[in-house]
């Protein structure tokens, strides 16, 4: 007599999983499909186990053929279940068993053999047989457990060989645990054949899988029905290179600021409103929320992105509203198509980069992600790497560009300009790395390296003999955020034991945005003996009256207004230079590229000239070679 007391509750629990699993959205990846089949097989095995055992007990009421069919079906689903546990292990390790073909022969042959034994059992009586006294195990009955152990062993082997594939340690522990539970279950079942215990152990294994890999909540954005970024990564990993697909993504304009304006709670509810709207409107496609106001819709290659774009633009014209939320939002859109050449990681990176760009795009049109954007993006990451390497290893180089006295044509000073090198040792222009350094905070270290190397240059060379009175060093507005900037500069200066008068600090007008802080900071640093120069005057919006508040000693005219004037002289620039002189500032003209420009700028009263006409920025040793003997080559 068999004991069902374990089987019935097991069945109920599996049904509970199945129901919960079915009612939440799932991404169609292999692992999930295997799990679904596993749930179905588990139900089938448990039901058949009960039904077949019941029939076997009351064998007199049944035709012998029915008894054979019931028992054979039970054995078939039993083996299929073991097989799916093994498949699940392959899924965790991202092994494609169609590509695994040759090696999987080792598994296929025994499986084939097993099914042959099961199906031929009515004739061979290998697994079981039924006679006048009912059901009996055959001489080969334990083969069913042998094959189960064989598959568990397969799982252990895969676990050992591929242990570096999964990203999380718990993925590996999970595989080990559920396989060990299955092993224990099979041993217990052999020891106590009368209890239908195997199902309970399988249930524990399934619960482990559910808790470790399959809980739908792992893949859902908590605020909506949209999938989360983990789901997006796994989904793209799986379809990339196998299926053609299109991605339509959008980002909420200025997400960070908007979030501050509306508050986190209202914004969260907005994200959930948008996610739910997308889920309901585009049921044919997969909707993902990719953090920070970014939504991603993935469809097949026939997905009509223009139509979706139109629908979304129209929807964003009206507010996102619920009982306690009302948000007016705008979005930027990007589209990317599948491409066999690229890994899913690259595609995601491209998407993120493009969304960063379109976040600021006001017109709301679609941006098709093409190679140009991608090249810019990869270039950006390369520059970032070179920058980090140079800054962290004190490898930022300082080039010097001479500044000439307009009247005598002789060297009076120089500007220190930062340079870094890429992987191939080629110079990267500051226009590329300074903005990145300002964004990621490396500018503080970079600025201090340039400052220190300039101080060292002053210490180690007789700059007076070269005719130089000072060297200009650029300061980024970001550096002024540090309230101890004056102390930091002073410390470096003291280390090289040079007077502060020889260093002039260049700041641009945009640094003066935060007037209160800047005035105070510049005041502090000036008190330590440094002088300030206003860089790039005329590049952007200029405010002359504001200059009075700051202790500048020199104004540098940006090359754009110098060039404009040289092309088409007018009265504005001469008057401006005149005004500066009256206000007590000396004036430097940047971007002097030929003799005529030098003359024109001298004529309107500029004191100093800087530009390629005199010299490109030079590495320090070349600078010394050129000007070191005190000759002011012109
Ligand atoms: P800037 O401070 O206005 O530096 C002058 C720029 O004009 C330099 O570009 C210089 O090479 C270029 N230049 C000089 N003469 C001529 C000329 O005759 N024709 C033309 N077309 N260009 C000329 P560079 O070295 O590429 O630096 C660009 C900007 O990067 C600098 O503009 C400065 O704002 C920034 N930068 C450079 N080094 C540093 C640094 O150490 N710290 C900070 N915060 N910014 C830096
Ligand atoms: Mg400058
Ligand atoms: Mg400049």
């Amino acid at each position: 007599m068999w004991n069902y007391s374990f089987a019935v509750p097991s069945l109920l629990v599996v049904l509970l999983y199945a129901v919960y699993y079915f009612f939440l959205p799932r991404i169609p990846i292999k692992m999930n499909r295997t799990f679904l089949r596993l749930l179905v097989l588990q139900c089938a095995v448990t039901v058949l186990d009960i039904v077949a055992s019941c029939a076997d007990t009351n064998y007199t009421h049944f035709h012998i053929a029915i008894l054979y069919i019931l028992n054979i079906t039970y054995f078939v689903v039993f083996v299929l279940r073991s097989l799916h546990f093994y498949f699940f292990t392959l899924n965790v390790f991202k092994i494609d068993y169609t590509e695994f073909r040759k090696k999987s022969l080792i598994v296929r042959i025994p499986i084939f053999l097993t099914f042959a034994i099961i199906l031929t059992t009515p004739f061979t009586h290998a697994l079981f047989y039924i006679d006048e006294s009912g059901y009996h195990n055959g001489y080969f009955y334990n083969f069913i457990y042998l094959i189960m152990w064989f598959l568990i062993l397969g799982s252990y082997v895969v676990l050992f060989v591929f242990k570096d594939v999964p990203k999380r340690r718990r993925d590996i522990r999970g595989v080990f645990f559920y396989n060990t539970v299955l092993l224990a279950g099979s041993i217990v079942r052999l020891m106590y054949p009368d209890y239908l215990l195997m199902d309970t152990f399988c249930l524990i294994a399934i619960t482990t899988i559910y808790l470790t890999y399959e809980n739908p909540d792992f893949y859902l954005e908590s605020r909506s029905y949209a999938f989360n970024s983990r789901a997006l990564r796994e989904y793209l990993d799986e379809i990339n290179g196998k299926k053609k697909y299109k991605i339509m993504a959008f980002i909420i304009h200025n997400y960070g600021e908007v979030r501050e304006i509306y508050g986190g709670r209202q914004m969260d509810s907005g994200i959930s409103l948008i996610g739910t709207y997308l889920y309901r409107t585009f049921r044919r496609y997969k909707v993902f929320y990719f953090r920070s106001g970014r939504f991603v819709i993935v469809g097949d290659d026939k997905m009509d992105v223009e139509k979706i774009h139109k629908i979304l633009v129209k929807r964003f014209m009206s507010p996102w509203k619920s009982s306690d939320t009302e948000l007016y939002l705008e979005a930027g859109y990007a589209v990317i198509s599948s491409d066999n050449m690229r890994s899913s990681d690259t595609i995601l990176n491209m998407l993120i980069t493009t969304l960063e760009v379109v976040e600021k795009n006001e017109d709301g049109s679609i941006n098709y992600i093409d190679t140009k954007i991608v090249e810019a993006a990869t270039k950006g990451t390369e520059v970032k790497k070179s920058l980090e390497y140079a800054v962290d290893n004190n490898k930022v180089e300082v080039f010097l560009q001479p500044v000439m006295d307009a009247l005598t044509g002789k060297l009076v000073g120089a500007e220190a300009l930062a340079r870094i090198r890429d992987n191939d040792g080629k110079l990267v222009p500051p226009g590329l790395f300074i903005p990145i350094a300002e964004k990621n905070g490396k500018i503080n270290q970079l600025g201090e390296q340039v400052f220190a190397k300039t101080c060292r240059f002053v210490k180690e060379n007789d700059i007076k003999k070269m005719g130089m009175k000072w060297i200009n060093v650029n300061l980024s507005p970001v550096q002024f955020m540090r309230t101890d900037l004056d102390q930091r500069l002073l410390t470096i200066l003291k280390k090289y034991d040079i007077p502060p008068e020889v260093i002039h600090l260049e700041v641009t007008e945009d640094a003066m945005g935060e007037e209160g802080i800047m005035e105070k900071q510049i005041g502090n640093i000036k008190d330590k003996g440094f002088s300030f120069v206003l860089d790039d005057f005329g590049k952007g919006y200029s405010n002359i009256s504001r200059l009075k508040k700051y202790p500048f000693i020199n104004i540098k005219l940006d090359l754009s207004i110098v060039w404009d004037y040289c092309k088409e002289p007018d009265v504005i620039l001469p008057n401006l230079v005149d005004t500066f002189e009256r206000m007590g500032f000396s004036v430097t003209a940047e971007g002097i590229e030929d003799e005529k420009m030098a003359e024109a700028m001298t004529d309107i009263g500029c004191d100093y000239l800087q530009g390629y006409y005199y010299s490109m920025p030079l590495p320090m040793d070349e600078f010394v070679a050129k000007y070191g003997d005190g000759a002011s080559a012109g």
Side-chain angles (χ1 to χ4, degrees):
M1 182 60 208
W2 281 286
N3 187 329
Y4 305 113
S5 50
F6 295 102
V8 176
S10 308
L11 187 61
L12 291 177
V13 175
V14 177
L15 284 174
L16 188 72
Y17 286 155
V19 169
Y20 188 62
Y21 198 71
F22 268 108
F23 273 92
L24 284 170
R26 278 151 286 118
I27 30 167
I29 57 175
K30 272 195 207 109
M31 201 189 217
N32 293 358
R33 283 194 287 263
T34 308
F35 183 65
L36 210 61
R37 277 189 230 124
L38 203 51
L39 285 181
V40 173
L41 285 168
Q42 174 70 4
C43 288
V45 174
T46 316
V47 170
L48 278 163
D49 203 357
I50 298 170
V51 172
S53 321
C54 218
D56 292 345
T57 316
N58 307 299
Y59 65 97
T60 45
H61 303 288
F62 295 92
H63 191 279
I64 190 162
I66 291 182
L67 293 177
Y68 267 111
I69 289 173
L70 275 177
N71 283 289
I72 285 178
T73 324
Y74 166 75
F75 284 114
V76 166
V77 288
F78 184 94
V79 173
L80 281 177
R81 179 178 65 182
S82 303
L83 197 58
H84 276 76
F85 276 117
Y86 171 70
F87 286 162
F88 197 88
T89 305
L90 295 184
N91 291 153
V92 171
F93 291 93
K94 302 213 185 305
I95 299 166
D96 189 339
Y97 28 85
T98 47
E99 283 169 19
F100 204 47
R101 213 157 252 165
K102 262 195 207 139
K103 282 186 192 132
S104 68
L105 268 188
I106 311 170
V107 175
R108 278 160 186 250
I109 293 171
I111 291 289
F112 183 78
L113 202 72
T114 311
F115 285 121
I117 292 174
I118 298 173
L119 295 174
T120 54
T121 259
F123 315 104
T124 60
H125 294 186
L127 274 185
F128 66 94
Y129 59 94
I130 293 157
D131 59 16
E132 309 77 49
S133 58
Y135 171 97
H136 304 279
N137 286 343
Y139 57 95
F140 231 48
Y141 174 79
N142 286 340
F143 192 78
I144 222 81
Y145 289 94
L146 219 59
I147 191 74
M148 185 172 174
W149 290 338
F150 174 71
L151 288 170
I152 293 171
L153 180 73
S155 278
Y156 284 135
V157 170
V158 167
L159 174 73
F160 183 74
V161 175
F162 295 92
K163 58 181 176 305
D164 296 327
V165 175
K167 294 185 187 78
R168 305 177 310 159
R169 287 219 61 79
R170 59 184 283 192
D171 286 353
I172 299 178
R173 270 187 244 130
V175 170
F176 180 77
F177 189 77
Y178 69 73
N179 279 295
T180 309
V181 166
L182 293 175
L183 187 64
S186 58
I187 294 170
V188 171
R189 162 88 190 219
L190 283 177
M191 287 163 68
Y192 304 101
D194 288 347
Y195 290 86
L196 302 187
L197 261 176
M198 194 60 230
D199 292 334
T200 311
F201 278 87
C202 286
L203 181 67
I204 298 172
I206 285 178
T207 307
T208 308
I209 290 179
Y210 186 84
L211 292 177
T212 318
Y213 314 94
E214 288 293 336
N215 186 341
D217 293 337
F218 290 163
Y219 295 96
L220 284 174
E221 167 57 32
S222 57
R223 286 172 275 198
S224 64
Y225 272 119
F227 293 115
N228 60 18
S229 28
R230 176 177 167 189
L232 180 59
R233 276 180 202 286
E234 299 215 349
Y235 186 54
L236 285 189
D237 264 351
E238 190 148 320
I239 61 170
N240 197 45
K242 295 194 188 90
K243 272 190 204 162
K244 286 191 168 175
Y245 61 89
K246 269 189 202 164
I247 297 177
M248 163 103 208
F250 64 87
I251 184 165
I252 295 169
H253 272 321
N254 305 319
Y255 180 74
E257 282 168 37
V258 174
R259 201 177 164 86
E260 259 171 41
I261 295 168
Y262 285 110
R265 199 194 46 75
Q266 230 194 138
M267 203 62 211
D268 283 351
S269 108
I271 294 295
S272 127
L273 285 172
I274 297 173
T276 313
Y277 165 81
L278 295 174
Y279 175 72
R280 299 220 171 104
T281 316
F282 305 111
R283 276 190 193 272
R284 283 177 50 205
Y285 309 122
K286 305 274 165 298
V287 175
F288 301 84
Y289 180 60
F290 198 67
R291 291 192 298 260
S292 314
R294 296 175 289 206
F295 284 91
V296 176
I297 303 168
V298 184
D300 54 16
D301 61 332
K302 288 185 209 72
M303 181 167 83
D304 187 347
V305 287
E306 317 258 328
K307 195 171 151 201
I308 295 180
H309 176 242
K310 262 192 207 137
I311 296 173
L312 289 174
V313 169
K314 195 162 162 232
R315 178 61 191 84
F316 268 94
M317 282 177 182
S318 41
W320 298 90
K321 255 170 134 168
S322 68
S323 58
D324 56 354
T325 306
E326 183 163 349
L327 299 172
Y328 294 81
L329 302 172
E330 279 173 34
Y333 302 86
V335 165
I336 189 167
S337 301
S338 56
D339 173 343
N340 292 338
M341 304 297 292
R342 299 203 168 91
S343 72
S344 50
D345 258 356
T346 314
I347 290 191
L348 272 182
N349 284 342
M350 282 159 62
L351 196 68
I352 294 172
T353 320
T354 316
L355 285 176
E356 248 169 50
V357 178
V358 303
E359 185 179 3
K360 281 154 198 92
N361 251 358
E362 294 295 330
D363 64 354
S365 59
I366 308 187
N367 294 265
Y368 290 90
I369 300 179
D370 56 18
T371 34
K372 244 202 247 149
I373 295 185
V374 177
E375 264 165 28
T378 44
K379 187 121 205 181
T381 48
E382 261 166 43
V383 171
K384 210 164 151 188
K385 271 189 209 146
S386 310
L387 171 74
E388 273 164 17
Y389 175 78
V391 171
D392 294 343
N393 295 286
N394 195 22
K395 287 251 159 68
V396 178
E397 293 174 38
V398 178
F399 277 37
L400 295 172
Q401 187 177 34
V403 177
M404 313 312 251
D405 187 309
L407 291 178
T408 64
K410 287 190 173 156
L411 183 74
V412 283
E415 175 171 7
L417 294 159
R419 296 287 184 269
I420 62 169
R421 290 182 191 272
D422 64 13
N423 255 346
D424 309 326
K426 280 206 298 263
L427 287 174
V428 183
L432 283 183
F433 65 82
I434 297 284
I436 298 179
E438 288 179 332
K439 236 180 164 180
N440 68 10
K442 290 275 177 207
I443 192 71
N444 287 307
Q445 270 169 284
L446 183 144
E448 282 172 24
Q449 262 179 52
V450 173
F451 183 80
K453 285 177 182 174
T454 307
C455 290
R456 195 175 66 197
F457 179 83
V458 173
K459 176 80 188 162
E460 290 173 356
N461 292 279
D462 191 348
I463 64 161
K464 262 208 191 101
K465 203 172 153 212
M466 295 184 211
M468 286 206 284
K469 297 178 185 150
W470 29 254
I471 299 183
N472 288 9
V473 174
N474 294 282
L475 280 189
S476 154
V478 177
Q479 288 176 268
F480 284 94
M481 305 285 195
R482 297 193 97 132
T483 46
D484 60 346
L485 181 63
D486 55 339
Q487 288 305 330
R488 301 175 78 94
L489 295 181
L490 203 62
T491 312
I492 300 173
L493 200 72
K494 279 196 180 135
K495 182 176 164 198
Y496 292 100
D497 186 31
I498 56 165
E501 299 84 57
V502 293
I503 304 288
H504 290 185
L505 300 171
E506 288 192 13
V507 294
T508 51
E509 276 182 287
D510 45 314
M512 295 186 285
E514 302 261 347
E515 285 193 30
I517 312 173
M518 278 301 287
E519 266 183 75
K520 198 164 162 264
Q521 286 270 61
I522 289 187
N524 281 345
I525 300 173
K526 188 190 172 264
D527 290 344
K528 307 286 181 305
F530 293 98
S531 303
F532 278 92
V533 167
L534 179 69
D535 198 5
D536 297 346
F537 182 88
K539 196 174 188 175
Y541 167 76
S542 301
N543 181 340
I544 299 184
S545 63
R546 193 167 59 176
L547 297 186
K548 281 191 293 193
K549 287 197 207 160
Y550 293 90
F552 294 120
I553 58 161
N554 177 261
I555 311 276
K556 293 181 85 170
L557 304 177
D558 187 62
L559 55 79
S560 60
I561 57 170
V562 171
W563 290 1
D564 283 351
Y565 176 80
C566 290
K567 234 196 287 163
E568 225 176 297
D570 54 30
V571 292
I572 302 174
L573 199 63
N575 276 317
L576 197 66
V577 173
D578 193 44
T579 309
F580 285 152
E581 299 283 346
R582 278 167 208 256
M583 288 168 84
F585 304 126
S586 60
V587 178
T588 304
E590 288 188 309
I592 304 296
E593 294 198 343
D594 57 39
E595 197 182 346
K596 262 195 182 151
M597 294 174 79
E599 273 169 16
M601 287 298 118
T602 310
D603 286 347
I604 64 169
C606 292
D607 306 278
Y608 307 113
L609 306 173
Q610 179 183 350
Y612 295 167
Y613 174 54
Y614 302 104
S615 170
M616 303 280 282
L618 298 172
M620 285 174 164
D621 51 344
E622 284 181 35
F623 187 90
V624 174
K626 192 165 177 183
Y627 299 102
D629 57 359
S632 312

